[in-house]
Amino acid sequence: MLDARPDPDALLAQLRNDEARAQRGKLRIYFGASAGVGKTWAMLSAAQRERAAGRDVLIGVVETHGRSETAALLAGLDTLPLRELDYRGRTLAEFDLDAALARKPAVLLVDELAHTNAPGSRHAKRWQDVQELLAAGIEVWSALNVQHLESLNGTVGAITGVRVHETVPDTVLDEADEVVLVDVTPDELTARLAAGKVYLPQQAERAAQNFFRKGNLIALREIALRRTAEHVEDDVRGWRVEQSGAAGNGQGSALQAWNTSGAILACVGPHEGAAQTVRTAARLASQLNVRWHAAYVETPRLQRLAAQERDRILAVLKLAEELGAATAVLTGSDVAEQLAEQARRLNCATLVLGRSQLVIGWRRWWPARPVPLPRALAQRAPALDILEVGHADSSRRLSRAPINGLRADEGDHEKAPVHWPGYAWATATSVALTLLCTPLAGVLELANIVMLFLLGVVGVAMRFGRGPSALAALLNVAAFDYFFVPPQLSFAVSDVQYVLTFAIMLGVGLLVGQLTAGLRFAAGVSTSRERRARSLFELTRELSAALESTQVVALGAAAVQGHFGGHALVLVTDTNDQLVFPKTPPEGFDAQVADWAFRHGQPAGLATATLAAQTWHYVPLQAPMRVRGVLALSPAQPRWLLIPEQAQQLDTLARQIAIALERVHYVEVAQQAVVEMESERLRNALLGAISHDVRTPLTALIALAESLQTLPPEEHGNAARAIVAQAHELHALVNNLLDMARLESGIAGGAVNLRRDWQSVEEVVGSSIRAARTSLGDTVVQTALAADLPLVEFDAVLIERVLVNLLENATKYGAPPIVVGARAEPGTLVLTVRDHGPGLPAALLGREQKLFDKFTRGEAESATPGVGLGLAICRAVVSAHGGEITAANAQGGGAEFAVTLPRREPPEPAEAQL
């Protein structure tokens, strides 16, 4: 009896999925063939019913397009204010994602799912906003037209002649919890368009002549109905998978195939007629316009088929794939049970089988002959329709070696290889047991000797399988009869009871061999599955940490090569959307075939229908948005590419690599966007900061220069002094800009040239005050220098520049007197500049270091000239010296800037002179 207990791993996965689904919000999509079918109206009507039921319903964004009937349904519903964005001189109103997340209603309406957000929004597309809302646990309702699905973009464009630029990935619709089809007939939609219920009159007339032609509407309606039916079919299949665990709880009827879609399952067998079965199933599926599958069940007996016979089965599966089937190789000892389970899993109501061969001669009277497959299937799945396909001897025979490099004419009559070493070991084991038991014959009972012989059979079965164990059982029975059963050295039996002993020994040996073969087969299947799962898990884990495309390329190639052997290459594109090929391509690699696979988005080369003579297999790296490259593989075993599980494994690995490449690409795009935004911000800040401070002195210079022509000679001196003052101000501004650029480039390159020398602090302070006298004017400057200041090693010119900038800053934003101080502390020199003004702005308290950023001013709208570079230059100079500059409010009022420079003990006078 089969174990009906549920799989613990499946239960654990289901619990995790249920938990993730419970935390994630639900998505309901109102789906229609075109605009005007009433999606928004249906969504708002449902929202009104939910509001009446007491749920918290919020409108995030709804497009009424001027329809009064739709706008009337907004009454009573809370509406979220739109967010205004400035773009190229215009104000755009967009959905406010942050406000919706903060509000967190029970149901949020977000219309126009395919809408493209304005530049400056968090996400480029509105469906990405919806994904974030769902992740936050908010239930979202939205609307979508069929022409906006990415996979149907080209199809709809070819039908209507209209190119749709706003698209949504198909996965958004596939992962929706509910899809509500809103449908009207083409005649009714045309009437609504003419009545002005879809567009304004001018737009309606233009739409009726282009997109809204009756033929277009009929075709779009058919596509929408089919796409909705596919989603409903997926829901049915998913529900049946969830309920499959109830089969052991008396709900077996829930596992029966439901004839809701008419899907077909073709059963591929090892006989010649398997190709005809596949052809018949394909023709039947085409006539019924339904999906179909093909499955081959590999049993321990079929696993021992010759290589050519196995290649023929793979060729039949390849034919099924070419005819449009989804193929699978199942494993198990009971063919009928595996096929019935596959039909239930795929919800296939019709099974197509090859006709069973007639049993002739004495075999028809054999009591232990196996039950025919159709009867066994009817017993396990009574609700399934079973169709038997007749033989067609005149049909084309498939090649048994459909892969290039494997000769089809070799081994047509090859039998399964015989493992002679196993049979030799079985014989040797029987001889060894006989020699061991001969001296023990007088000591042990015959029953114990029988146990020793049975132990030998078990050992041979565990090591070598069914055939050698059967031989060991026969030899052990013969040896026991000949050497130990009276009369000895004769096959005659004096006691009839020994015949029963011989039968038990033989039966136990054969039974152990059979069980061991089944265990070896199941272990092999489990090992293969575990190997595929492990390779996929390891690749996914490693790719999740990859941050560059080169890492993805190396990890992807290593994973594919580790699983399939041979050689593997991951080819990516450059900035011109061209594949980058290796400088020294490996043997057999064809760049033109790889480029064809990339351009057409289809596999090519080995084991495909395109350029099959190649020795390499080329798979396009299809990501959700576009093809990101090509995976090229030259496998160690070419026939692996025909095994459905291995082909699916390769496609899965390629998809993971493609997704990782796309993720890395968008990370780079995001980083580039951040850099561009920062550059744009700095450029705007620079232009905004210097526009006034450069224009003002230039305007004054021009005015003063023009006034010289009209002023009397005695006034020329005053005008000249004013011109000199304005020129000094402009010169200081330009110097600040140049100094900042030089220091920033030096710091970035690590090569700031400091001319360090032992300097007197008093002299540097005095020269700084003299240099800043023009900016200081009549402002009183006091000094508070310690009497025992030592010599300090620094660049006097740059430190003087720091003090001058600090003095000018104190003059602009502070009040006299300004106090310049200096004191020596253990290992440091501290220079301070303090004013007695209002102190630092309240907005900067707690984040005083922001004052030292470029283009930052103490007062954003201050009339005081300056571009906000003086303090930034100070920090750059001090940092180049290894010091630190800080700002704080001083006790008693005013602001105090402190420069801390590292110092060491000054040298001896003789050394200083050197």
Side-chain angles (χ1 to χ4, degrees):
M1 181 177 179
L2 296 175
D3 188 1
R5 292 177 299 177
D7 184 3
D9 294 334
L11 289 177
L12 182 59
Q14 183 177 353
L15 290 175
R16 290 175 178 172
N17 292 335
D18 293 342
E19 182 180 358
R21 190 182 306 170
Q23 296 177 355
R24 184 177 175 84
K26 293 184 178 180
L27 174 61
R28 177 190 293 183
I29 295 179
Y30 288 83
F31 190 56
S34 65
V37 297
K39 302 181 300 298
T40 305
W41 188 90
M43 181 170 61
L44 289 175
S45 299
Q48 290 286 0
R49 292 192 295 269
E50 292 294 317
R51 183 184 69 86
R55 296 192 69 186
D56 180 17
V57 180
L58 177 66
I59 295 180
V61 58
V62 164
E63 300 291 345
T64 62
H65 298 288
R67 303 164 191 159
S68 58
E69 297 177 354
T70 305
L73 292 174
L74 296 174
L77 294 173
D78 294 339
T79 303
L80 191 70
L82 298 178
R83 183 167 62 100
E84 294 184 352
L85 294 173
D86 293 331
Y87 179 67
R88 294 183 178 179
R90 295 188 303 167
T91 301
L92 303 178
E94 286 291 347
F95 168 64
D96 195 339
L97 176 60
D98 291 325
L101 292 171
R103 173 71 163 72
K104 199 171 185 180
V107 179
L108 179 66
L109 276 62
V110 182
D111 202 2
E112 301 288 348
L113 188 60
H115 173 76
T116 300
N117 293 330
S121 302
R122 183 183 310 174
H123 301 298
K125 296 288 186 178
R126 184 167 291 172
W127 64 265
Q128 296 173 320
D129 295 340
V130 170
Q131 294 293 328
E132 185 170 347
L133 292 169
L134 295 175
I138 302 175
E139 181 176 346
V140 179
W141 294 0
S142 189
L144 180 68
N145 290 333
V146 69
Q147 66 263 29
H148 294 298
L149 286 178
E150 179 64 36
S151 65
L152 299 175
N153 185 258
T155 302
V156 174
I159 293 173
T160 63
V162 178
R163 181 177 299 177
V164 179
H165 297 282
E166 293 182 329
T167 60
V168 172
D170 288 51
T171 53
V172 176
L173 181 65
D174 295 335
E175 295 174 358
D177 298 273
E178 299 178 16
V179 174
V180 180
L181 178 64
V182 183
D183 181 50
V184 297
T185 64
D187 292 336
E188 182 181 352
L189 182 56
T190 304
R192 295 188 62 189
L193 180 66
K197 297 181 179 181
V198 179
Y199 295 125
L200 296 177
Q202 309 90 298
Q203 297 175 324
E205 183 179 357
R206 187 168 57 253
Q209 297 175 356
N210 297 285
F211 190 87
F212 280 79
R213 293 195 299 267
K214 186 172 181 179
N216 295 348
L217 297 179
I218 293 174
L220 293 177
R221 188 186 186 199
E222 179 185 3
I223 295 174
L225 291 171
R226 290 185 178 276
R227 194 64 180 81
T228 307
E230 291 175 4
H231 188 278
V232 174
E233 184 179 354
D234 292 339
D235 290 342
V236 172
R237 191 181 304 117
W239 184 87
R240 288 168 53 80
V241 170
E242 293 178 0
Q243 297 298 318
S244 61
N249 300 327
Q251 299 182 13
S253 60
L255 294 177
Q256 298 296 335
W258 293 347
N259 195 4
T260 56
S261 61
I264 295 173
L265 175 62
C267 307
V268 177
H271 305 295
E272 290 285 349
Q276 182 62 20
T277 302
V278 166
R279 296 188 183 101
T280 302
R283 185 173 65 254
L284 184 60
S286 178
Q287 293 172 354
L288 299 177
N289 196 18
V290 296
R291 58 182 176 86
W292 71 290
H293 307 263
Y296 165 70
V297 181
E298 188 173 56
T299 62
R301 181 180 64 84
L302 296 179
Q303 195 180 38
R304 298 193 300 273
L305 291 175
Q308 294 296 328
E309 297 296 327
R310 295 168 63 85
D311 288 343
R312 184 184 64 189
I313 296 171
L314 294 179
V316 174
L317 292 175
K318 184 65 176 178
L319 173 64
E321 289 183 353
E322 294 174 355
L323 294 177
T327 59
V329 175
L330 311 176
T331 54
S333 57
D334 192 331
V335 176
E337 179 185 355
Q338 294 297 323
L339 290 177
E341 178 62 27
Q342 183 75 351
R344 286 192 290 265
R345 185 183 304 114
L346 300 175
N347 197 26
C348 296
T350 303
L351 271 69
V352 180
L353 308 173
R355 180 163 296 166
S356 303
Q357 296 181 350
L358 296 177
V359 180
I360 59 176
W362 61 269
R363 294 182 178 179
R364 71 173 64 181
W365 307 107
W366 184 254
R369 69 175 186 270
V371 178
L373 181 58
R375 184 184 301 174
L377 283 169
Q379 293 174 354
R380 286 170 172 78
L384 291 178
D385 297 332
I386 300 175
L387 175 64
E388 291 192 25
V389 178
H391 297 287
D393 296 333
S394 60
S395 62
R396 177 179 68 91
R397 296 183 61 184
L398 297 179
S399 172
R400 297 188 182 184
I403 298 181
N404 181 50
L406 301 178
R407 295 175 55 186
D409 56 349
E410 290 183 352
D412 282 349
H413 303 287
E414 178 188 358
K415 302 298 182 183
V418 180
H419 302 285
W420 293 113
Y423 292 96
W425 275 100
T427 304
T429 301
S430 181
V431 172
L433 286 173
T434 302
L435 295 176
L436 176 64
C437 295
T438 298
L440 300 177
V443 180
L444 300 177
E445 295 289 339
L446 291 181
N448 294 326
I449 294 177
V450 168
M451 293 298 103
L452 293 176
F453 277 110
L454 288 178
L455 181 62
V457 173
V458 172
V460 172
M462 292 294 295
R463 181 64 180 85
F464 300 105
R466 180 188 294 105
S469 68
L471 177 61
L474 291 173
L475 293 177
N476 287 348
V477 169
F480 179 71
D481 182 16
Y482 189 80
F483 290 102
F484 299 100
V485 176
Q488 297 178 349
L489 302 180
S490 172
F491 288 106
V493 178
S494 60
D495 192 345
V496 180
Q497 293 183 359
Y498 286 112
V499 175
L500 179 61
T501 303
F502 301 155
I504 292 176
M505 288 181 64
L506 182 60
V508 169
L510 296 177
L511 179 61
V512 169
Q514 180 71 19
L515 294 177
T516 303
L519 289 175
R520 288 161 60 91
F521 175 73
V525 171
S526 299
T527 301
S528 178
R529 291 176 178 173
E530 188 274 336
R531 180 171 176 268
R532 294 198 301 267
R534 184 178 67 251
S535 63
L536 182 59
F537 167 76
E538 292 177 351
L539 176 62
T540 305
R541 181 186 60 188
E542 293 172 353
L543 289 179
S544 64
L547 298 178
E548 298 179 354
S549 59
T550 54
Q551 294 176 313
V552 176
V553 168
L555 293 173
V560 175
Q561 186 169 328
H563 185 82
F564 291 92
H567 301 281
L569 293 175
V570 176
L571 309 175
V572 296
T573 57
D574 56 14
T575 55
N576 297 323
D577 200 24
Q578 300 290 332
L579 283 178
V580 179
F581 299 105
K583 296 181 179 179
T584 56
E587 182 181 358
F589 176 82
D590 194 327
Q592 294 181 350
V593 181
D595 187 71
W596 186 95
F598 172 72
R599 295 301 173 192
H600 293 80
Q602 298 177 3
L606 180 69
T608 67
T610 304
L611 303 172
Q614 297 289 322
T615 58
W616 284 68
H617 182 75
Y618 302 88
V619 182
L621 297 177
Q622 182 67 55
M625 300 303 295
R626 51 166 295 185
V627 178
R628 293 293 172 183
V630 171
L631 170 62
L633 171 65
S634 177
Q637 296 292 334
R639 61 167 51 91
W640 277 17
L641 297 177
L642 292 181
I643 301 176
E645 280 72 14
Q646 298 295 342
Q648 293 172 5
Q649 179 76 2
L650 180 60
D651 290 341
T652 304
L653 293 175
R655 178 58 65 91
Q656 293 297 321
I657 297 172
I659 292 175
L661 287 173
E662 186 160 280
R663 175 180 59 81
V664 170
H665 168 73
Y666 282 117
V667 168
E668 296 174 353
V669 169
Q671 292 176 345
Q672 182 65 26
V674 170
V675 172
E676 293 177 356
M677 291 173 60
E678 184 65 18
S679 300
E680 184 71 12
R681 187 188 68 81
L682 289 177
R683 186 180 70 86
N684 293 336
L686 174 62
L687 292 176
I690 70 175
S691 60
H692 175 268
D693 294 282
V694 171
R695 187 182 302 142
T696 300
L698 285 177
T699 304
L701 286 173
I702 294 173
L704 291 170
E706 291 177 348
S707 66
L708 287 176
Q709 301 176 1
T710 58
L711 288 176
E714 59 272 12
E715 298 292 335
H716 285 184
N718 295 331
R721 285 189 292 273
I723 291 175
V724 171
Q726 294 295 333
H728 276 297
E729 184 177 338
L730 185 60
H731 181 264
L733 173 63
V734 174
N735 279 343
N736 277 342
L737 292 173
L738 295 177
D739 289 346
M740 192 70 243
R742 179 174 63 86
L743 290 170
E744 285 290 327
S745 62
I747 293 175
V752 177
N753 186 16
L754 297 179
R755 297 181 179 180
R756 295 177 181 268
D757 201 356
W758 295 99
Q759 308 289 344
S760 169
V761 178
E762 295 88 343
E763 293 182 1
V764 173
V765 171
S767 63
S768 300
I769 296 174
R770 288 191 298 272
R773 178 50 60 188
T774 302
S775 301
L776 291 173
D778 297 333
T779 303
V780 178
V781 178
Q782 301 176 356
T783 58
L785 307 179
D788 55 347
L789 286 175
L791 295 176
V792 181
E793 188 180 23
F794 53 75
D795 188 323
V797 176
L798 292 180
I799 296 300
E800 178 181 313
R801 184 67 174 163
V802 170
L803 293 176
V804 169
N805 286 346
L806 292 178
L807 289 171
E808 292 178 351
N809 183 77
T811 304
K812 292 177 181 179
Y813 299 102
I818 299 175
V819 180
V820 180
R823 65 181 184 275
E825 295 183 355
T828 60
L829 170 69
V830 179
L831 300 173
T832 60
V833 176
R834 176 191 173 182
D835 62 72
H836 290 76
L840 300 179
L844 293 177
L845 295 180
R847 50 193 190 101
E848 290 83 0
Q849 285 298 319
K850 189 170 180 59
L851 277 172
F852 301 98
D853 293 343
K854 295 186 294 292
F855 310 116
T856 299
R857 305 173 69 186
E859 298 177 9
E861 302 296 334
S862 174
T864 305
V867 297
L869 283 179
L871 295 181
I873 292 174
C874 294
R875 182 172 64 177
V877 170
V878 173
S879 298
H881 282 80
E884 181 183 7
I885 183 171
T886 59
N889 285 328
Q891 294 182 356
E896 183 179 66
F897 290 82
V899 176
T900 303
L901 299 176
R903 72 176 183 88
R904 58 189 179 95
E905 293 299 325
E908 297 296 331
E911 183 181 349
Q913 293 176 0
L914 293 176

